[in-house]
Amino acid sequence: MPKINNPSADDHRLRVMFLVTSMPIGGAEMLLLNLVRGMDRAKFAPEICCLKEPGPLGEELQSEMPVHCRLTQGKYDIRVLHRLRKLFCSSRIDAIVTVGAGDKMFWGRLAAKFARVPVVIAALHSTGWPDGVGRLNRLLTRWTDAFIGVADAHGEFLVEHEKFPRKKVHTIYNGVDTQRFSPRDSAPVRSALGIPQAAPVVGIVAALRPEKNHELFLAGAKQIVRELPKTRFLIVGDGPCRESLEQITQELGLENSVHFLGSRSDVPELLTALDVLALTSHNEASPVSILEALSTACPVVSADVGSVSETVSPGKTGFLFPAGETDAYATAVVDLLNDPEKCRQLGNEGRRRVRSEERRVGKECRSRWSPYD
């Protein structure tokens, strides 16, 4: 059951509740964690509400802010509406931000309406499943003050495909800490992983879920090792597909080439061990793993989905391939691995662009009027 937070009457900070299903280690969840940690506590009082279990990141935040969890007992537990309304009222919430589509987007906005929460916002992070909005969620559009996309093309997707009013759609670009994610010596992490210093290394950083299409990553690995037998492959992340992916790895005879690293806290160091970061998803919006890789000067080979082309410029910061096409993916990776100088050029340009965009967005944000000043 949720913890009830009773703010004092003289606390005039804006109380913002972020509503999610859970907080496992993943791209959207890490963005949320960094967002709430970066909020000015003199002006904002953030809280997290997990409909299900808190997950590792939710547990991590429990010592820093209120984290409410286990408000629902299943998909058809309509009593979650009463629990959410009671929680929002008791905590005197000023703004609700639902993160992702599905149940939390529906129940969260409906409960916010009944609790008379002044501001209701829906943030989306993908251009398809699992962030497909659906008919029931569209019915609550008029009760929603803003819909947040993470890239320009993603914002257009929310207008054209999801049919949200253009005036309600806003873009807040994903960002990355370019100091934490910076180039560094790869020797220590390669040594710790038992990978020869001269071996080509390809990695993917993504939750092991169906939409990330690790199956294509592994099928491509089979083709890549035919051309470059010493290549190693790092799979960073965990999730429900791990067992089946490990089985596929064995069936393909790749168990000596593929390393399943699980969820890691040392992603910046792992990225520096890569020659190429891969992204093989069926759909995305603006994946943070790409920004993190480019920030460490690692080029990217990605499926051309969502808003990825806004970050990965073919021949400049990496290469794109048509989603689902294993041959095109493997060919792009082999071409890069066979040209280390090209890899360095693309990686350096990627970091330059990420840092340039960081400065541009930061300047724009500082120049904007804020209603909370």
Side-chain angles (χ1 to χ4, degrees):
M1 293 300 294
K3 301 176 183 178
I4 300 300
N5 181 41
N6 294 305
S8 61
D10 59 352
D11 185 352
H12 299 296
R13 295 177 298 168
L14 189 70
R15 314 197 69 82
V16 185
M17 180 80 77
F18 294 89
L19 184 61
V20 296
T21 300
S22 180
M23 289 195 68
I25 297 177
E29 292 80 13
M30 286 299 301
L31 284 170
L32 176 56
L33 178 139
N34 292 329
L35 171 65
V36 295
R37 280 180 168 168
M39 295 177 77
D40 185 348
R41 297 305 176 84
K43 298 179 180 179
F44 301 95
E47 300 187 19
I48 301 291
C49 179
C50 300
L51 288 186
K52 296 182 180 179
E53 65 280 351
L57 298 183
E59 292 174 354
E60 185 177 329
L61 285 172
Q62 284 178 336
S63 62
E64 304 174 34
M65 64 190 65
V67 176
H68 316 275
C69 57
R70 300 183 178 89
L71 280 92
T72 182
Q73 298 178 6
K75 185 174 180 63
Y76 302 105
D77 181 10
I78 63 173
R79 291 172 295 178
V80 67
L81 178 60
H82 169 71
R83 298 184 190 113
L84 285 173
R85 185 197 63 78
K86 181 180 179 181
L87 173 62
F88 297 164
C89 290
S90 300
S91 297
R92 300 214 307 268
I93 297 301
D94 299 298
I96 294 291
V97 182
T98 61
V99 182
D103 292 353
K104 67 266 189 183
M105 185 180 182
F106 180 76
W107 292 119
R109 290 183 298 156
L110 193 59
K113 174 67 174 178
F114 292 151
R116 298 183 180 180
V117 175
V119 177
V120 180
I121 298 171
L124 286 304
H125 289 272
S126 188
T127 54
W129 190 88
D131 264 0
V133 172
R135 183 176 60 85
L136 285 178
N137 267 316
R138 287 195 186 93
L139 292 176
L140 302 184
T141 295
R142 64 191 179 94
W143 292 348
T144 310
D145 297 291
F147 297 91
I148 306 300
V150 295
D152 292 334
H154 187 216
E156 284 300 313
F157 176 87
L158 296 181
V159 173
E160 299 297 330
H161 180 79
E162 302 294 6
K163 307 302 181 185
F164 296 140
R166 186 174 294 275
K167 65 181 180 180
K168 289 189 174 185
V169 173
H170 306 269
T171 298
I172 299 178
Y173 302 101
N174 285 343
V176 61
D177 184 342
T178 57
Q179 293 185 334
R180 180 170 178 243
F181 289 88
S182 60
R184 63 193 76 183
D185 183 11
S186 66
V189 68
R190 283 192 174 219
S191 178
L193 294 173
I195 296 175
Q197 298 300 318
V201 181
V202 182
I204 183 170
V205 181
L208 308 188
R209 299 195 300 259
E211 71 271 18
K212 300 301 181 180
N213 197 14
H214 287 78
E215 291 83 356
L216 188 146
F217 179 82
L218 292 172
K222 183 67 174 181
Q223 295 187 23
I224 293 166
V225 296
R226 292 192 190 117
E227 300 290 330
L228 300 167
K230 295 182 180 180
T231 306
R232 299 292 187 91
F233 303 87
L234 305 185
I235 297 179
V236 183
D238 217 331
C241 295
R242 178 160 184 164
E243 184 176 345
S244 63
L245 292 171
E246 288 177 335
Q247 183 176 346
I248 291 172
T249 300
Q250 293 181 351
E251 292 172 354
L252 293 173
L254 294 171
E255 57 268 27
N256 294 326
S257 301
V258 176
H259 303 253
F260 284 85
L261 302 183
S263 296
R264 302 281 294 239
S265 60
D266 58 344
V267 173
E269 290 76 16
L270 293 173
L271 287 172
T272 62
L274 304 182
D275 294 292
V276 175
L277 177 88
L279 189 75
T280 53
S281 303
H282 292 299
N283 56 72
E284 289 282 355
S286 179
V288 70
S289 63
I290 286 179
L291 297 174
E292 292 172 345
L294 293 178
S295 187
T296 62
C298 176
V300 175
V301 173
S302 174
D304 188 5
V305 294
S307 307
V308 169
S309 61
E310 293 181 24
T311 308
V312 180
S313 299
K316 296 180 180 178
T317 63
F319 289 100
L320 300 172
F321 64 91
E325 293 195 8
T326 305
D327 291 347
Y329 160 68
T331 298
V333 171
V334 169
D335 287 348
L336 266 181
L337 295 180
N338 278 327
D339 192 346
E341 181 57 31
K342 185 69 171 178
C343 269
R344 282 190 289 271
Q345 291 175 1
L346 298 184
N348 289 336
E349 175 61 13
R351 177 162 174 80
R352 187 196 69 78
R353 291 193 181 196
V354 169
R355 295 191 69 191
S356 176
E357 185 67 9
E358 175 188 47
R359 290 191 291 269
R360 182 188 69 81
V361 172
K363 184 177 180 180
E364 287 183 0
C365 289
R366 287 190 296 272
S367 67
R368 289 175 182 168
W369 170 82
S370 171
Y372 307 111
D373 288 343

